[in-house]
Amino acid sequence: MDRNRNNGTKDIRLVARGVNRMPFGKFLYLLVPWLIILAIGMYAIFLCLAKGLNQTNMDNRFAFGVWIFLDLSIIALGAGAFFTGFLVYILKREELRAVLNSAVVIGFICYSGAILVLMVDVGQPLRAWFTFWHPNIHSMLTEVTFCITCYLVVLSVEYAPIVLRNKKLKEVPAFLAMQYELHRIMPVLAGVGTFLSFFHQGSLGGLFGVLQGHPFAFREGLAIWPTTFFLFIISAAAAGPSFILLTTWIASRVSRKRLVSDNVFALLARISGSLLVVYVMLKSIDTLTWLNRTVPSLGLSGIGFFLWAPFNIWILFAEIIVFGLVPSLFLLFGSGRLRTGWLVASSVMVCCGIVLNRFVMTIQTLSLPTMSFDRFMIYTPSWQEIAAFLFVVAYGVIIYSLSFRYLRLFPQEIEMKVN
Amino acid sequence: MNTTDAINRNASKGTDDVRGKTIFFFGIVGMLFLGWIIFPFFIYAPVAQPVQFSHSTHAGDNVGLKCVDCHSYDKDGRFLGIPGTSKCAGCHSHTIGVSDEEKKFVDEYILRHKEIRWVVYSSQPENVYFSHATHVKVGKLDCETCHFGHEFTDKLRPARFSRISGYSIDVSGSTLLDIPSTPSTGMRMDDCAGCHNKRGHKESCIDCHK
Amino acid sequence: MTNGNQVKSLTGKKHNFGMVIDVDRCTGCGACMIACAVENNVPPGPVDATDRTGITLMRVYKADNGMDFPDNESVFFPVSCQQCEHHPPCVSVCPQNAVEVDPATGIVGQIPVRCLGCRYCMAACPYHARYFNWWDPVWPEGMERSLNPDVSLRMRGVVEKCNFCFHRLQAAREKAAAEGRDEIKEGEYIPACVESCPTSAMTFGDLLDEGSEVYRLAQSNGSFRILERLGTGPKIYYFSEREWVRNIAEKDPASALKRGATTD
């Protein structure tokens, strides 16, 4: 019966047994817009590499622009990979195996995309190895560089068995054997991945928390790390499952299939919600400490940071209450009761909240004046920056679509079909 | 899995291990040989000197010149490097008749008031700062400490420049476990740093890099 | 961490070079900016460079007392790298050790050839004293012959900043060495900006030398530093007789808003 249903697909031999996929022509047709974006983005990246970063609108003040913001955001959203692996392999939450493969693919896309953009973002990409050869161990960026490259390797190794289990590739005995061997070391990889992720998610927060020159971003430390180190870990761990929930839902809507059971959604929502409640609490404590202790000790008034339009006090309110507390309560208390649509909407808000937080840390930090005779500045990214940004999005959509079509991302898909 | 299978697997695993280790060992050795010994021959292009010159003749007993007789400093302490032909003309205004090379030098350069475009073995990259005065006059180093053996050479060897960076083999390259990647006369960054460390001078990057 | 006292420099004595800028004397003429650019081979920049993308290792800022005419008074702050002494914000952030404090002189050195161009140091610097080479350096035909041979050119994609004309210190040391001295004399080494200032508003010297003019001025009553509260120990001091000028250095940037300052 499946054979008949898949008649329209020319690439039937590559599609996993027991699942239905849309006709090949339609699949290509849906990918065309993304391929166009990919091509434009590639041209923009080529321009930036060939002509230099003068193609962007970054300047000496906005040394970090929309790309660093993008990196921080997608690395936070890609945290689902490590966190799901951690939950499945270390804490033995077997239910989440249903989204584990998908989470790995998402993580792989996010990290490879981030590294790709970073390589365009630095002025001398060919010197990238300097950080590995002459590392400054005091720099948060060194920690980030080491951890994200190592973690990308881990993710690639985690991705490999999923690819090798493709129906066609499986016919090669060596691939099957390799897939089996790789599968056995998964718990180890999950452990390593968790360790690496903890450090680089934290270091990305530390990146800004250590900026003693920018009181807006500077946070006092716990041990050797500023508090943003811990806040970034928790917020990424909270956003990760939300993003998995969101992408699973989108995949399920686009393919018009049920991919996971509702209780997986509910579990993801509960995990995300409970972590987010903790995060909102800690973030509030941190913000209050910063406003009432850190900033006054530097002879400034905390409110002074929020007087500069368009980044007024609303941004703090939006970040903590609207996109923090509200969705966290929805996810936490609504996970068993609310319909999936509500959970998805809340997940969108969680992701927005995390992205907003990363925006505040990068863009708002740099826009605020530090000296009294200094100016408040904003910056508009150039088309090349936006195109490179969208390149990563298109790249992600294409990789995910291909993986969804040819690999078995959702093991529950077949049983869902029967029910 | 049944027992026979397991035994077979273990047995073949043993031989596989030995074979794997052997391949790994020879792979590493081969790579090191290729990268450390063979590769420099391809990456550096030889450039011949326009005129031959014998340091051993000039610094030897017959002539008896000291290094600073030709390689001197200006009043600000800047090292003047290789002398111009006017200095050579002090002795070689006309052919003395010691060699064919000397005749060529006098005819083509001295009599035509032309300068020689020497190929400098030790020319450092643009971003390197080095002061001869500091090393020789304050540091009390002999010329031979870095240019060892140069005064005894009878011929000027061809200089070799990297085809990629354009740097001379004498100043580029690095050391790994104290094994230099390229033959050198002691003017790579690692040589500088090694000597400074040995003498207890702790410098910053900007002391040598401008 | 290197212990400052144990460091044996090539030229023996330990220095801590610093500068005092008398802003009461500064007319904001910008000669220091020009002298700096010429001395350090800063390229003129292409036509589409702006004041936000151009390179001004020394930059003159204007500030005023916020009053209306006729009580309005203004002041100019020449701001270059402040050569921070304690944990300079740019040093610890650099992922590949391209920035470090020279223990023998206290000068914060930036090595463009080691720089990857990640620009984290620029984000870290509260004085915005670091500049990125957004373009490859290009000089108008013939002008490249006027380049300073003691300063290397920086390629596009790397960060640069003021290093107190370190090459001038090298030249002074070399001259001293040639004359058989292992120590430079006071006044033998001054950066180009100090040399160019027509009103002699800038004084340069060794802050450890208690007999020096720069030490006396830095210790005097009217001296202050910008953003001293951050605890980075900048080694560029400013000097003014006027109290409101001295207060500007630590004033909350937001206070400008109350006077209706524009937001760009």
Side-chain angles (χ1 to χ4, degrees), chain A residues 356-400:
Chain A
L356 182 63
N357 173 260
R358 303 315 191 237
F359 177 84
V360 166
M361 292 311 275
T362 47
I363 305 295
Q364 192 177 355
T365 297
L366 293 180
S367 68
L368 291 170
T370 47
M371 297 177 287
S372 64
F373 45 83
D374 202 4
R375 287 184 303 164
F376 174 87
M377 284 185 184
I378 43 175
Y379 114 107
T380 338
S382 71
W383 77 262
Q384 289 92 331
E385 284 176 87
I386 294 171
F389 189 119
L390 292 177
F391 171 89
V392 176
V393 178
Y395 157 82
V397 169
I398 291 168
I399 298 280
Y400 193 82

Side-chain angles (χ1 to χ4, degrees), chain A residues 239-260:
Chain A
S242 266
F243 194 60
I244 300 293
L245 193 157
L246 183 61
T247 47
T248 307
W249 179 80
I250 293 173
S252 139
R253 289 307 290 258
V254 173
S255 66
R256 305 223 179 93
K257 285 179 195 65
R258 289 188 64 204
L259 301 172
V260 295

Side-chain angles (χ1 to χ4, degrees), chain A residues 330-374:
Chain A
F330 268 116
L331 289 173
L332 189 57
F333 298 109
S335 63
R337 282 156 244 160
L338 290 174
R339 297 164 58 128
T340 311
W342 280 95
L343 299 182
V344 172
S346 308
S347 294
V348 172
M349 284 171 74
V350 173
C351 295
C352 289
I354 296 308
V355 168
L356 182 63
N357 173 260
R358 303 315 191 237
F359 177 84
V360 166
M361 292 311 275
T362 47
I363 305 295
Q364 192 177 355
T365 297
L366 293 180
S367 68
L368 291 170
T370 47
M371 297 177 287
S372 64
F373 45 83
D374 202 4

Side-chain angles (χ1 to χ4, degrees), chain A residues 296-329:
Chain A
S297 75
L298 292 171
L300 298 170
S301 75
I303 205 70
F305 295 118
F306 298 98
L307 298 175
W308 308 85
F311 303 140
N312 296 106
I313 193 80
W314 66 265
I315 209 160
L316 193 63
F317 181 74
E319 189 193 325
I320 299 181
I321 308 293
V322 181
F323 293 112
L325 188 63
V326 173
S328 73
L329 295 178

Side-chain angles (χ1 to χ4, degrees), chain A residues 48-65 67-68 121-131 134-142 145 206-208 210-215 297-305 307-309 365-366 368-379, chain C residues 1 50-56 59 61-63 77 79 86-89 91-97 99 111-128 130-136 155-158 226-227 229-232 247-258 262-264:
Chain A
C48 293
L49 291 177
K51 295 191 175 179
L53 291 176
N54 50 56
Q55 298 293 306
T56 69
N57 267 353
M58 284 188 279
D59 52 51
N60 293 325
R61 177 75 167 270
F62 276 94
F64 289 171
W67 285 342
I68 295 287
D121 198 9
V122 297
Q124 289 290 337
L126 293 179
R127 294 180 180 176
W129 59 276
F130 281 19
T131 309
H134 314 283
N136 173 10
I137 52 160
H138 303 290
S139 172
M140 287 286 170
L141 201 55
T142 308
T145 315
L207 215 59
F208 293 92
V210 297
L211 296 182
Q212 49 177 328
H214 288 275
S297 75
L298 292 171
L300 298 170
S301 75
I303 205 70
F305 295 118
L307 298 175
W308 308 85
T365 297
L366 293 180
L368 291 170
T370 47
M371 297 177 287
S372 64
F373 45 83
D374 202 4
R375 287 184 303 164
F376 174 87
M377 284 185 184
I378 43 175
Y379 114 107
Chain C
M1 280 280 129
T50 65
D51 69 333
R52 287 168 66 163
T53 52
I55 296 174
T56 46
R59 183 167 208 156
Y61 287 82
K62 187 185 173 197
F77 284 99
V79 177
H86 312 298
H87 310 295
V91 172
S92 60
V93 299
C94 177
Q96 60 257 314
N97 289 313
V99 196
I111 311 299
V113 278
R114 176 64 74 76
C115 176
L116 164 71
C118 72
R119 305 189 292 286
Y120 189 17
C121 56
M122 297 172 66
C125 178
Y127 302 101
H128 316 309
R130 300 184 141 267
Y131 294 85
F132 187 70
N133 283 272
W134 300 97
W135 287 270
D136 260 322
M155 69 207 297
R156 119 190 154 200
V158 297
I226 300 174
L227 301 183
R229 60 178 140 86
L230 298 178
T232 61
N247 291 340
I248 280 181
E250 300 295 336
K251 208 158 68 175
D252 189 341
S255 58
L257 277 179
K258 293 178 190 120
T262 54
T263 55
D264 189 10

Side-chain angles (χ1 to χ4, degrees), chain C residues 2-242:
Chain C
T2 7
N3 184 340
N5 299 325
Q6 288 173 353
V7 170
K8 191 175 158 195
S9 121
L10 267 182
T11 47
K13 210 171 97 188
K14 185 174 156 45
H15 300 278
N16 200 23
F17 290 110
M19 197 192 279
V20 180
I21 302 177
D22 184 344
V23 289
D24 291 345
R25 282 171 150 190
C26 177
T27 60
C29 71
C32 51
M33 293 175 68
I34 303 294
C36 171
V38 172
E39 178 76 16
N40 288 293
N41 293 340
V42 174
V47 277
D48 37 352
T50 65
D51 69 333
R52 287 168 66 163
T53 52
I55 296 174
T56 46
L57 305 183
M58 164 64 84
R59 183 167 208 156
V60 179
Y61 287 82
K62 187 185 173 197
D64 66 18
N65 60 358
M67 305 238 222
D68 290 325
F69 179 81
D71 302 319
N72 184 283
E73 268 185 67
S74 55
V75 63
F76 295 96
F77 284 99
V79 177
S80 66
C81 169
Q82 304 284 301
Q83 311 287 355
C84 302
E85 205 166 356
H86 312 298
H87 310 295
C90 55
V91 172
S92 60
V93 299
C94 177
Q96 60 257 314
N97 289 313
V99 196
E100 62 172 17
V101 182
D102 177 19
T105 58
I107 292 174
V108 181
Q110 158 88 17
I111 311 299
V113 278
R114 176 64 74 76
C115 176
L116 164 71
C118 72
R119 305 189 292 286
Y120 189 17
C121 56
M122 297 172 66
C125 178
Y127 302 101
H128 316 309
R130 300 184 141 267
Y131 294 85
F132 187 70
N133 283 272
W134 300 97
W135 287 270
D136 260 322
V138 178
W139 276 267
E141 185 74 32
M143 233 180 102
E144 72 279 353
R145 269 179 279 157
S146 66
L147 291 178
N148 184 349
D150 292 340
V151 179
S152 65
L153 306 183
R154 282 79 58 187
M155 69 207 297
R156 119 190 154 200
V158 297
V159 175
E160 63 182 83
K161 71 168 197 74
C162 156
N163 58 8
F164 271 168
C165 288
F166 195 79
H167 58 283
R168 287 184 164 219
L169 172 62
Q170 301 277 43
R173 281 174 174 174
E174 189 166 43
K175 186 158 190 269
E179 291 168 9
R181 290 177 283 137
D182 59 0
E183 197 48 62
I184 60 166
K185 283 185 252 174
E186 199 193 342
E188 267 186 323
Y189 158 49
I190 51 165
C193 53
V194 179
E195 192 179 27
S196 73
C197 182
T199 57
S200 306
M202 298 163 133
T203 313
F204 182 81
D206 186 353
L207 291 168
L208 292 181
D209 178 2
E210 293 185 9
S212 67
E213 177 72 359
V214 73
Y215 179 86
R216 189 186 65 77
L217 283 170
Q219 298 296 323
S220 66
N221 263 339
S223 100
F224 60 99
R225 291 179 284 180
I226 300 174
L227 301 183
E228 205 172 344
R229 60 178 140 86
L230 298 178
T232 61
K235 285 200 293 287
I236 293 198
Y237 289 76
Y238 293 83
F239 177 93
S240 178
E241 304 270 344
R242 296 170 284 179

Side-chain angles (χ1 to χ4, degrees), chain B residues 10-142:
Chain B
N10 283 340
S12 69
K13 211 178 162 201
T15 45
D16 273 3
D17 266 8
V18 174
R19 207 177 63 179
K21 278 176 187 160
T22 319
I23 293 175
F24 184 76
F25 175 75
F26 280 106
I28 293 282
V29 171
M31 268 168 51
L32 282 176
F33 182 73
L34 270 179
W36 223 242
I37 316 279
I38 306 290
F39 186 63
F41 280 96
F42 286 102
I43 203 75
Y44 291 99
V47 181
Q49 297 285 2
V51 178
Q52 273 303 331
F53 177 85
S54 167
H55 276 97
S56 61
T57 305
H58 288 81
D61 290 338
N62 280 347
V63 185
L65 292 172
K66 292 268 161 292
C67 303
V68 285
D69 291 337
C70 302
H71 305 288
S72 53
Y73 300 87
D74 76 359
K75 62 175 180 0
D76 286 336
R78 274 173 212 247
F79 184 64
L80 294 173
I82 302 173
T85 44
S86 59
K87 204 158 211 165
C88 307
C91 299
H92 296 272
S93 58
H94 297 286
T95 317
I96 305 174
V98 281
S99 69
D100 292 346
E101 199 69 16
E102 191 233 348
K103 185 169 162 27
K104 178 181 143 196
F105 166 63
V106 173
D107 290 349
E108 287 182 19
Y109 293 94
I110 301 275
L111 297 179
R112 295 187 195 171
H113 300 288
K114 238 173 85 184
E115 291 298 327
I116 305 176
R117 299 185 77 96
W118 294 108
V119 186
V120 186
Y121 304 110
S122 54
S123 66
Q124 294 283 344
E126 194 202 339
N127 59 309
V128 177
Y129 170 81
F130 179 80
S131 162
H132 275 90
T134 314
H135 285 82
V136 176
K137 300 204 171 161
V138 179
K140 309 280 185 226
L141 295 185
D142 296 327

